Every structure is written in C-alpha cells, then in structure tokens.
Amino acid sequence: MADSSFDIVSKVERQEVDNALNQTAKEISQRYDFKGVGASISWSGEKILMEANSEDRVNAVLDVFQSKLIKRGISLKALDAGEPQLSGKEYKIFATIEEGISQDNAKKVAKIIRDEGPKGIKAQVQGEELRVSSKSRDDLQTVIALLKGKDFDFALQFVNYR
C-alpha cells in the first residue's frame, strides 16, 4: 500500500485579499469618522498602501482592513504591516502579504514533527512547502492536530491530503 501524504503550505488567496481591500475602501468612504481625513487603501504594486492625515486614522484604516481579512478567513500572520510613516502631510502604512514557508521555518516544522509526532512520519522540504507522509492516515491526522496546537509566527494550511 502506498504512503498517505499531505502538504503544509502558507498561501493566501489573492482574490480574497482583494475583496477585503475593496470592502475596507467602501467602509472608509461611508463611515462618518473617516470623512475629511483623506483616508484611503489601495494596491501599490505588490504592497498595500494605507493613507490618512493622522497617525490614529491610518491605524484605524489598518484595523478595519484586518477585521475584513479575518471575516474572509485569512490569517493575520500572513499580513506584514509596517509602522506609520509621515510623508509630507500624510501618514502612510505599507503592508505586504507573506506567502510561502521559508527554509528555516520549514526546518522548524519538520523538527517538531520528528520530535513530537508519531514514529514513521517523513517530512521533507519541497521549495516553499513541506510534504508529510506516512503509512498510517491516523498518524497524519495526529500531525495536523499537533501543528494546529502550536503557535507559529506564520500561517499554515494543510492541502493535498491523500
């Protein structure tokens, strides 16, 4: 019998981020507390740019955006938002969406699987993802439960379970 396996990835659905951004822009345009403060949110290349005329307002834009991401099922660990920066008369925050598991993080996850997971589990790094395989599907379920219980500083998804 062939081994069962699944992949551990860190991916974000770009369309969902786009929808969250559009919902945030709509809410900013309609809310009373954002009237006349020049608040906006938009894509700036691969980054997300948030602007307003005060540090408090630009942080409020970030807060609204984060709540929209959560509603759409996107982990805030995938959002890397910088500090508010004064640019002319505007405050700006640049944020990026982090995807992929770095080699160091993949090694950390593989070590946890080896040390704390059931025996007979194989974990191998493949680019920006980690393939976990075993003869027993129950062992794979145990590994998924183990990793969901851990608090990593990056988002994890489990895909291609077979």
Side-chain angles (χ1 to χ4, degrees):
M1 185 176 140
D3 284 3
S4 299
S5 68
F6 67 89
D7 295 334
I8 301 172
V9 296
S10 183
K11 290 190 175 146
V12 176
E13 190 71 39
R14 170 83 179 205
Q15 186 61 49
E16 291 296 327
V17 175
D18 208 30
N19 290 343
L21 188 133
N22 291 335
Q23 287 178 338
T24 303
K26 186 175 180 182
E27 184 169 322
I28 289 169
S29 70
Q30 294 174 345
R31 268 180 45 180
Y32 176 76
D33 57 336
F34 285 115
K35 294 284 188 235
V37 296
S40 68
I41 183 169
S42 62
W43 285 104
S44 174
E46 285 296 307
K47 294 185 176 191
I48 297 165
L49 171 64
M50 293 163 262
E51 298 178 290
N53 65 2
S54 76
E55 191 171 345
D56 292 341
R57 287 293 108 211
V58 79
N59 281 326
V61 172
L62 176 61
D63 193 43
V64 170
F65 183 55
Q66 288 174 334
S67 71
K68 299 298 180 192
L69 287 174
I70 290 169
K71 284 182 182 171
R72 296 208 149 270
I74 297 172
S75 172
L76 292 183
K77 292 177 182 175
L79 179 70
D80 182 23
E83 292 297 313
Q85 300 169 343
L86 184 59
S87 172
K89 293 183 179 179
E90 297 271 307
Y91 280 88
K92 296 181 178 185
I93 293 179
F94 285 99
T96 55
I97 302 296
E98 306 250 330
E99 288 193 301
I101 301 174
S102 70
Q103 290 290 327
D104 291 341
N105 288 337
K107 287 177 184 173
K108 285 180 197 171
V109 173
K111 182 171 174 23
I112 288 172
I113 292 170
R114 276 195 313 276
D115 294 348
E116 300 177 30
K119 298 290 177 233
I121 294 278
K122 293 190 282 290
Q124 51 199 158
V125 179
Q126 297 180 332
E128 293 189 334
E129 58 185 46
L130 189 68
R131 163 115 348 130
V132 180
S133 57
S134 170
K135 298 234 181 275
S136 165
R137 285 180 164 238
D138 291 341
D139 287 350
L140 293 179
Q141 294 285 344
T142 305
V143 169
I144 289 174
L146 169 75
L147 294 177
K148 282 185 177 179
K150 299 286 182 189
D151 186 30
F152 295 105
D153 56 350
F154 52 95
L156 290 181
Q157 292 88 31
F158 307 100
V159 297
N160 297 338
Y161 185 80
R162 51 180 170 260

